[in-house]
Amino acid sequence: MVENVVPKQTWDALAGNPEAQLVDVRTEAEWAFVGVPDLSQAGKKTVLIPWQTYPGMRRNDAFTEQLADAGLTPDHHLYFICRSGARSMAAAEAAKAAGFPNVYNVADGFEGPSDRQGHRGVTAGWKADGLPWRQP
């Protein structure tokens, strides 16, 4: 079972635990057009590994190998984030099954659910919580 962790708790872990890393599993298009968490204040960089490939949204079959290629080990505490928390949960479960024991899902993801007007990033999630992010 993978634990859901709210964005502010994730930020605290990233800032306070040298072994904590954030893995953004959204697509390259999302990183480019929506933005990415900015971990510079914590002295880190977000690890960007897509769970699915755009535009077909096929699963990235090399995902767990790419975690290792990024220098992540079973000693790391890995926090997975996507747009809303669904893809990141699947990615966290795959990482756990591949031998990464300390995995967490960032609840509500980077943008959270849509509000009544269909806008994301205003009711819940990384952006709505006022955590640092940047547009590449």
Side-chain angles (χ1 to χ4, degrees), residues 62-134:
F63 181 77
T64 55
E65 291 84 12
Q66 290 171 348
L67 291 173
D69 291 346
L72 301 174
T73 70
D75 292 331
H76 285 103
H77 289 247
L78 303 179
Y79 292 80
F80 292 88
I81 192 169
C82 67
R83 179 183 68 182
S84 64
R87 283 176 286 169
S88 53
M89 179 59 86
E93 289 171 345
K96 188 166 195 138
F100 294 88
N102 304 303
V103 298
Y104 309 90
N105 184 51
V106 180
D108 293 317
F110 188 65
E111 296 181 272
S114 298
D115 67 7
R116 289 182 163 189
Q117 289 77 38
H119 301 131
R120 291 185 181 270
V122 293
T123 61
W126 188 275
K127 289 172 83 174
D129 282 355
L131 296 170
W133 64 282
R134 65 178 173 77

Side-chain angles (χ1 to χ4, degrees), residues 10-23 36-47 72 76-79 126 132 134:
T10 300
W11 173 257
D12 291 343
L14 292 165
N17 179 353
E19 298 302 320
Q21 295 292 329
L22 183 67
V23 182
V36 295
D38 182 357
L39 306 182
S40 60
Q41 293 175 18
K44 297 179 179 176
K45 291 184 178 180
T46 303
V47 178
L72 301 174
H76 285 103
H77 289 247
L78 303 179
Y79 292 80
W126 188 275
R134 65 178 173 77

